[in-house]
Amino acid sequence: MQINEDMIFQVKVTCPNCGQEFMHPEVKTRYIVVEKQDSDLCAHYTGINPVFYDVMVCRYCGFSFTKETNKALSEQEKTTINTILANWPKDGAQYGGLRTLDQAIKVYNKAIVCQELRNAKDSVKGSLYLRLGWLYRYQGNKNNEDQSLLRALEFMRRAYERETSSDAKKELRMMYLIGDLSYRSGDFGGAVKWFHSVTNHPAANSYPVFSRMARSRWQDIREQMQRQK
């Protein structure tokens, strides 16, 4: 599928850091076509990839954020952030149209720095590192992919321990991902523990997709351990 400007549309966004309005590209739903999905929920698309456009970059100050991190900033946070942004190139305008994979990787790294500066929740940082890992997978950069997924695992574990949520679906998703990322890191025992927790969660029957995926990965572990005997 040939990617072109007709596949995106522009939305007006207000930067939570400097307060300026700018236009951000989003992908039109009808052009999002999933070819396959990896076990860590990384989708592969036949054409345009919406993951490239999750991060918004202010063309005026460079602050980078997602919809879930589009939150009001305190004056102290702004001071900390702007001390760093002052040394960044004002290149936000180049991300206002179609994005390449390299550009997507750059904006995710920008977003991670910005969210670390504002001390965002561990779940937020874990989600950003997870998607950054996917981008490196698309690029074929295994080393950077592995490093990003390890960081995602670290933050998701901390989020599970420290954050509270009444959303059972989000909790199951996080638990499953911790299991999958543990498996990918070589921690088979940890992965089994998390997959077991998913299948025994009180809300498992309400969201059976996570139980199915957990059992499938659990089977992968058994088969791999058998091969290693």
Side-chain angles (χ1 to χ4, degrees):
M1 184 186 298
Q2 186 66 36
I3 298 173
N4 58 67
E5 293 280 351
D6 290 337
M7 296 179 174
I8 60 174
F9 65 101
Q10 299 289 329
V11 295
K12 185 180 291 186
V13 179
T14 301
C15 176
N17 180 51
C18 70
Q20 294 270 28
E21 291 185 341
F22 64 96
M23 303 305 292
H24 168 71
E26 291 193 2
V27 179
K28 296 176 182 176
T29 305
R30 66 178 177 272
Y31 293 113
I32 300 175
V33 181
V34 177
E35 179 182 10
K36 64 176 182 176
Q37 180 175 274
D38 298 334
S39 63
D40 61 355
L41 310 184
C42 172
H44 296 260
Y45 301 87
T46 58
I48 193 166
N49 190 327
V51 179
F52 289 14
Y53 302 88
D54 282 345
V55 173
M56 295 169 264
V57 183
C58 178
R59 64 184 302 162
Y60 299 100
C61 70
F63 185 70
S64 303
F65 55 102
T66 61
K67 287 181 180 178
E68 65 179 336
T69 58
N70 189 2
K71 311 288 186 183
L73 301 174
S74 69
E75 291 305 312
Q76 182 177 352
E77 286 175 327
K78 290 180 181 180
T79 298
T80 301
I81 288 165
N82 287 317
T83 299
I84 302 300
L85 294 185
N87 297 314
W88 286 13
K90 300 298 183 288
D91 59 355
Q94 69 175 286
Y95 306 114
L98 291 175
R99 292 179 179 176
T100 65
L101 175 54
D102 285 346
Q103 286 178 322
I105 289 171
K106 286 181 182 179
V107 299
Y108 268 90
N109 277 298
K110 285 175 179 284
I112 286 170
V113 172
C114 288
Q115 297 312 310
E116 287 182 338
L117 288 171
R118 64 177 290 264
N119 198 26
K121 289 183 177 180
D122 290 325
S123 56
V124 167
K125 289 180 279 193
S127 177
L128 286 169
Y129 271 110
L130 175 65
R131 284 175 280 173
L132 179 61
W134 297 347
L135 294 176
Y136 284 125
R137 186 178 305 164
Y138 300 143
Q139 191 183 53
N141 190 328
K142 187 69 167 60
N143 183 57
N144 283 353
E145 175 193 339
D146 289 346
Q147 289 182 10
S148 297
L149 295 185
L150 280 173
R151 292 290 281 161
L153 175 59
E154 174 189 345
F155 282 118
M156 287 184 183
R157 279 175 177 159
R158 283 167 45 178
Y160 185 81
E161 293 170 358
R162 302 176 184 181
E163 298 175 21
T164 58
S165 174
S166 58
D167 190 325
K169 183 178 180 180
K170 286 184 178 179
E171 183 177 24
L172 279 165
R173 182 180 185 274
M174 180 177 289
M175 291 167 66
Y176 168 77
L177 282 170
I178 293 173
D180 188 86
L181 296 176
S182 296
Y183 177 36
R184 287 172 179 268
S185 73
D187 180 10
F188 292 177
V192 168
K193 183 192 77 171
W194 285 101
F195 292 145
H196 179 74
S197 296
V198 170
T199 59
N200 285 276
H201 193 281
N205 290 334
S206 299
Y207 305 100
V209 62
F210 297 109
S211 293
R212 288 197 299 268
M213 291 190 298
R215 290 190 183 97
S216 175
R217 292 303 268 165
W218 200 338
Q219 183 60 34
D220 291 339
I221 293 173
R222 290 193 189 101
E223 292 175 358
Q224 185 162 342
M225 293 181 73
Q226 285 292 331
R227 290 194 298 269
Q228 292 178 350
K229 285 185 177 180

